């Protein structure tokens, strides 16, 4: 099957499913006037979709074509298995599916606006919360809680129409006023910090309630499809019950599944059951999420049939894929695994990270080829810059950073930083096993006395969100597949307010970087936008403030004798739980 035919087939299946669910909306932005979206039959879908959607679909195909052959084969295998199950047996209703996760529900301290790291077993991707729209097979948003949306002629306002009769899990109406409050609640003092908060602050000028089902987002400074980046990552929450969520007293979500307090065992398991008054009806009676803090133990539980679905380490991918009763899946690479140098601008960090020469030295010292082969089994591509190849900001001239320990040592000597003592901070289960040790050895080989610091997950998050990590950190990071303008407004490592903390300026007054970020919000022409990308890339090459070493995607495996409907959406790496079912 050719790559193009494969994605065409997925899109045809989605049209069929969209008809079945009654969700006919797809977004398109015209050159002039108002373009109304989601008001036609599926037969007209090809005519409604505007030129930007076609371009984005093409870019998505190009991204998939650039992926390793093994990834393409595994994606095709997973799609073929799911399709065969659907055609042979049809989706069954009922039963409990069991997933394994490294962490418990209550561990996710940034809910409800948390952003999942790509593991479909996490609370942010559990179906407890839902979005107005969500990207699926392309970057074009698809209908979720909203049934239609439109933008004005200059694309500086987006009007969203909700489905009729929506309710939160406790029966409270999910109307336009609730949507407005949900977006405003991101900035409440009682709401846990989140990366969505900064995105809303940058993109939204105001929100107007037109009527009970219609809300208007005003975004004059960030026109066009950029607003869909925010909507894609901003779940709708009940603003009044956010404090109760933080105390684990009430989980009042908006999605097709509800948190069941009667079956919750703190630190051990939690259970999601269908939202009986939702617009979607899940096939399953329940999904049980078991907390298993060790990856190897999760793998054994999957092999034995104790788990139906879990995420797996790369070192187990080939072996598990060879077992008859298991099917492996490679989720799309939407971001990177990185080393992050934190500067001293916000009162933490390490003074060595303030020197661009130190950061350049670390960049040159990472043996990415070894990590690619030994840790990631050759599955995900080596990464050296902060943009995916399909991004309009991608520049091939910056795509290769040679492994150069001698050059790295020379930079340290020039800066007088040979012998620097610095910690590399991460928490258990956060990064691929073995990667910290390789990177530690790389840094020690050039004269940096790096120590591995395994710290509590909550403390790591606190350091990260406040920009006070005491030295280096290891983490996954994303958003690089979206509109490039989103990155400096959403990702902590790139935001203006955390600039000093992450050492992302080469000039003392940060004039150049600030000018680039401000330029993105000034409605630049296409040529001006391209010039901003060029300036960004040149600045990053001169003084890298985040050090990627591999593309980021997650690997999963499921029991193909029990699980049907396992299909993720490529543009957002979502595994929508309402589509899963158990094979009879």
């Amino acid at each position: 099957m050719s790559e193009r035919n494969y994605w065409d087939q997925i899109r045809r299946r989605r049209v069929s499913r969209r008809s079945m669910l009654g969700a006919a909306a797809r977004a398109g932005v015209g050159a002039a006037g108002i373009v109304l979206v989601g008001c036609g039959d599926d037969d007209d879908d090809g005519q409604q979709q505007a030129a930007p959607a076609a371009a984005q679909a093409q870019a998505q195909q190009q991204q998939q074509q650039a992926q390793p052959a093994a990834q393409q084969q595994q994606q095709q295998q997973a799609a073929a298995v799911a399709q065969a199950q659907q055609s042979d047996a049809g989706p069954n209703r009922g039963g409990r599916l069991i997933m394994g996760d490294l962490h418990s529900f209550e561990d996710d301290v940034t809910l409800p606006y948390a952003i999942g790291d790509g593991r479909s077993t996490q609370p942010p991707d559990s179906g407890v919360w839902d979005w107005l729209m969500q990207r699926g097979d392309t970057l074009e948003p698809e209908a979720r809680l909203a049934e239609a949306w439109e933008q004005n002629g200059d694309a500086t306002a987006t009007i969203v129409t909700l489905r009729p009769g929506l309710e939160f899990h406790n029966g409270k109406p999910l109307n336009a006023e609730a949507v407005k409050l949900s977006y405003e609640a991101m900035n409440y003092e009682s709401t846990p910090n989140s990366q969505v908060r900064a995105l809303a602050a940058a993109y939204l000028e105001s929100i107007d309630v037109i009527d009970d089902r219609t809300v208007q987002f005003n975004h004059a400074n960030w026109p066009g499809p950029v607003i869909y980046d925010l909507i894609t990552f901003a779940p709708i929450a009940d603003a009044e019950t956010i404090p109760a969520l933080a105390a684990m007293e009430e989980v009042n979500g908006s999605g097709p599944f509800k948190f069941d307090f009667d079956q919750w065992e703190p630190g051990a398991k939690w259970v999601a059951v269908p939202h009986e008054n939702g617009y979607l009806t899940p096939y399953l009676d329940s999904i049980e999420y078991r907390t298993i803090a060790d990856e190897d133990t999760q793998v054994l539980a999957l092999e034995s049939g104790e788990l139906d679905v879990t995420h797996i380490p790369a070192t187990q991918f080939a072996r598990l894929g060879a077992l008859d009763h298991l099917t492996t899946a490679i989720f799309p690479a939407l971001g990177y695994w990185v080393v992050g140098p934190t500067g001293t601008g916000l009162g933490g960090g390490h003074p060595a990270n303030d020197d661009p020469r130190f950061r350049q030295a670390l960049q040159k010292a990472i043996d990415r080829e070894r990590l690619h082969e030994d840790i990631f089994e050759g599955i995900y591509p080596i990464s050296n810059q902060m943009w995916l190849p399909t991004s309009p900001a991608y520049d091939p001239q910056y795509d290769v950073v040679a492994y150069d320990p001698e050059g790295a040592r020379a930079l340290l000597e020039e800066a007088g930083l040979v012998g620097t003592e610095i910690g590399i901070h991460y928490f258990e289960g956060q990064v691929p096993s073995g990667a910290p040790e390789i990177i530690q050895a790389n840094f020690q080989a050039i004269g940096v006395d790096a120590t591995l610091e395994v710290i509590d997950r909550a403390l790591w998050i606190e350091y990260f969100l406040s920009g006070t990590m005491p030295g280096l950190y290891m983490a996954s990071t994303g958003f690089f597949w979206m509109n490039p303008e989103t990155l400096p407004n959403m990702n902590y490592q790139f935001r203006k307010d955390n600039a000093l903390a992450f050492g992302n300026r080469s000039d003392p007054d940060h004039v150049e970087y600030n000018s680039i970020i401000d330029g993105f919000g000034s409605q630049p022409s296409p040529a001006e936008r391209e010039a901003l990308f060029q300036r960004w890339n040149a600045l990053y090459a001169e003084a890298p403030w985040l050090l990627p070493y591999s593309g980021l995607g997650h690997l999963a495996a499921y029991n193909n004798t029990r699980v049907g409907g396992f299909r993720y959406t490529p543009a957002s790496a979502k595994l929508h739980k309402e589509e899963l079912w158990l094979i009879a």
Side-chain angles (χ1 to χ4, degrees):
M1 181 187 301
S2 71
E3 187 70 9
R4 182 174 297 275
N5 289 339
Y6 170 62
W7 289 112
D8 287 345
Q9 182 180 5
I10 283 185
R11 277 190 287 276
R12 285 197 296 273
R13 286 214 315 276
R14 173 154 293 284
V15 168
S16 173
R17 182 158 189 80
R18 190 168 66 248
S19 296
M20 183 170 62
L21 296 176
R26 290 187 75 99
V29 180
I34 292 179
V35 180
L36 185 62
V37 190
C39 296
D41 296 329
D42 281 328
D43 292 338
D44 300 325
D45 194 55
Q47 297 176 354
Q48 289 181 1
Q49 193 163 340
Q56 289 169 337
Q58 182 179 10
Q60 186 67 34
Q61 290 172 352
Q62 292 170 349
Q63 178 179 350
Q64 299 300 328
Q65 291 167 353
Q67 293 170 343
Q71 182 167 349
Q72 296 177 14
Q73 292 169 1
Q74 291 297 333
Q75 289 173 339
Q76 292 171 6
Q77 177 189 10
V81 170
Q83 187 179 31
Q85 291 168 345
Q86 292 264 10
S87 61
D88 292 342
N92 299 306
R93 293 198 175 274
R96 172 174 293 204
L97 184 142
I98 302 176
M99 289 189 166
D101 194 14
L102 295 171
H103 307 289
S104 61
F105 187 97
E106 61 272 18
D107 281 344
D108 209 319
V109 296
T110 60
L111 293 172
Y113 302 109
I115 298 174
D117 67 3
R119 297 199 329 274
S120 60
T121 54
Q122 286 188 305
D125 291 334
S126 63
V128 172
W129 287 273
D130 210 341
W131 296 260
L132 296 176
M133 291 92 84
Q134 184 72 201
R135 290 184 171 123
D137 297 328
T138 75
L139 294 186
E140 285 296 302
E142 298 179 354
R144 296 292 295 179
L145 294 170
E147 67 176 11
W149 50 96
E150 60 186 4
Q151 289 192 334
N152 60 356
D154 57 3
T156 58
T158 303
I159 301 173
V160 177
T161 303
L162 299 174
R163 297 174 185 272
L166 293 175
E167 294 181 1
F168 287 105
H169 293 168
N170 66 0
K172 180 180 177 181
L174 198 168
N175 52 23
E177 182 64 28
V179 169
K180 180 177 186 291
L181 289 174
S182 179
Y183 276 81
E184 292 176 346
M186 297 175 193
N187 291 316
Y188 289 177
E189 186 175 342
S190 58
T191 300
N193 202 356
S194 70
Q195 293 178 311
V196 181
R197 172 184 292 182
L199 201 59
Y203 286 178
L204 287 183
E205 181 181 278
S206 61
I207 303 175
D208 299 325
V209 173
I210 307 302
D211 58 38
D212 198 52
R213 289 178 51 207
T214 310
V215 62
Q216 177 172 315
F217 296 93
N218 302 305
H219 43 88
N221 289 331
W222 298 90
V226 174
I227 191 65
Y228 298 130
D229 287 344
L230 169 61
I231 293 174
T232 292
F233 281 105
I236 302 305
D238 177 14
E240 293 182 347
T241 59
I242 289 176
L245 170 63
M248 286 303 294
E249 296 171 351
E250 182 177 7
V251 181
N252 188 29
S254 55
F257 284 94
K258 302 191 305 184
F259 183 95
D260 188 342
F261 271 94
D262 291 337
Q263 301 186 67
W264 175 41
E265 297 178 14
K269 77 172 186 179
W270 67 280
V271 176
V273 297
H275 173 29
E276 62 275 9
N277 295 324
Y279 71 95
L280 292 172
T281 302
Y283 294 116
L284 296 167
D285 286 337
S286 62
I287 300 177
E288 178 182 326
Y289 296 85
R290 293 185 184 174
T291 304
I292 303 175
D294 179 76
E295 284 185 329
D296 292 335
T297 304
Q298 284 195 41
V299 167
L300 291 173
L302 180 70
E303 287 187 74
S304 68
E306 182 181 346
L307 296 178
D308 296 315
V309 180
T310 193
H311 283 265
I312 60 175
T315 53
Q316 299 277 6
F317 184 79
R319 184 183 69 81
L320 294 176
L323 300 179
D324 290 340
H325 72 295
L326 297 181
T327 296
T328 52
I330 303 176
F331 279 58
L334 305 182
Y336 302 95
W337 292 107
V338 300
V339 176
T342 305
T344 60
L346 296 180
H350 191 290
N353 291 326
D354 295 336
D355 192 317
R357 294 168 296 183
F358 184 76
R359 304 196 301 273
Q360 282 184 326
L362 299 185
Q363 177 85 309
K364 291 176 178 288
I366 298 174
D367 189 348
R368 292 172 173 82
E369 184 65 37
R370 182 183 175 194
L371 288 161
H372 178 65
E373 296 297 333
D374 293 356
I375 303 302
F376 299 102
E377 301 289 319
I379 295 172
Y380 285 112
I382 296 173
S383 301
N384 300 286
Q385 66 170 291
M386 297 315 306
W387 306 110
L388 294 170
T390 51
S391 172
Y394 176 81
D395 191 334
Q397 71 172 309
Y398 296 113
D399 201 35
V400 176
V401 178
Y403 173 51
D404 182 12
E406 292 80 11
R409 176 81 181 205
L411 283 168
L412 292 179
E413 290 174 348
E414 177 186 329
L417 292 172
V418 174
T420 296
E421 297 179 0
I422 195 167
I424 303 175
H425 300 80
Y426 60 99
F427 55 84
E428 291 288 355
Q430 182 187 23
V431 295
S433 178
E437 288 78 12
I438 290 177
I439 289 174
Q440 176 192 34
N442 290 161
F443 293 166
Q444 288 178 336
I446 65 170
V448 174
D449 186 7
T451 58
L452 299 182
E453 304 286 347
V454 181
I455 62 176
D456 178 74
R457 183 173 184 262
L459 179 60
W460 190 98
I461 292 173
E462 178 183 339
Y463 282 149
F464 180 75
L465 298 186
S466 63
T468 57
M469 191 73 69
L472 304 171
Y473 61 89
M474 293 186 68
S476 59
T477 190
F479 321 122
F480 301 95
W481 55 281
M482 300 189 297
N483 290 282
E485 294 90 338
T486 290
L487 194 72
N489 291 303
M490 190 171 190
N491 190 300
Y492 278 106
Q493 299 99 321
F494 289 76
R495 272 173 29 194
K496 289 176 66 175
D497 57 345
N498 274 356
L500 286 172
F502 291 100
N504 61 352
R505 310 293 203 282
S506 58
D507 57 307
D509 297 323
H510 321 311
V511 175
E512 172 68 356
Y513 190 85
N514 289 342
S515 174
I516 294 170
I517 304 308
D518 293 340
F520 283 135
S522 63
Q523 302 190 35
S525 67
E528 292 170 336
R529 185 172 182 248
E530 178 63 27
L532 290 170
F533 295 151
Q534 292 174 358
R535 290 169 58 193
W536 172 292
N537 288 326
L539 183 61
Y540 174 80
E542 177 187 351
W545 55 90
L546 201 58
L547 315 176
Y549 56 89
S550 174
L552 166 65
H554 285 277
L555 310 176
Y558 63 92
N559 188 326
N560 56 43
T561 68
R562 278 183 49 82
V563 179
F566 188 101
R567 186 187 66 83
Y568 56 78
T569 50
S572 58
K574 296 288 185 183
L575 177 66
H576 293 293
K577 305 304 193 304
E578 68 273 8
E579 298 183 11
L580 293 172
W581 52 278
L582 293 181
I583 299 171

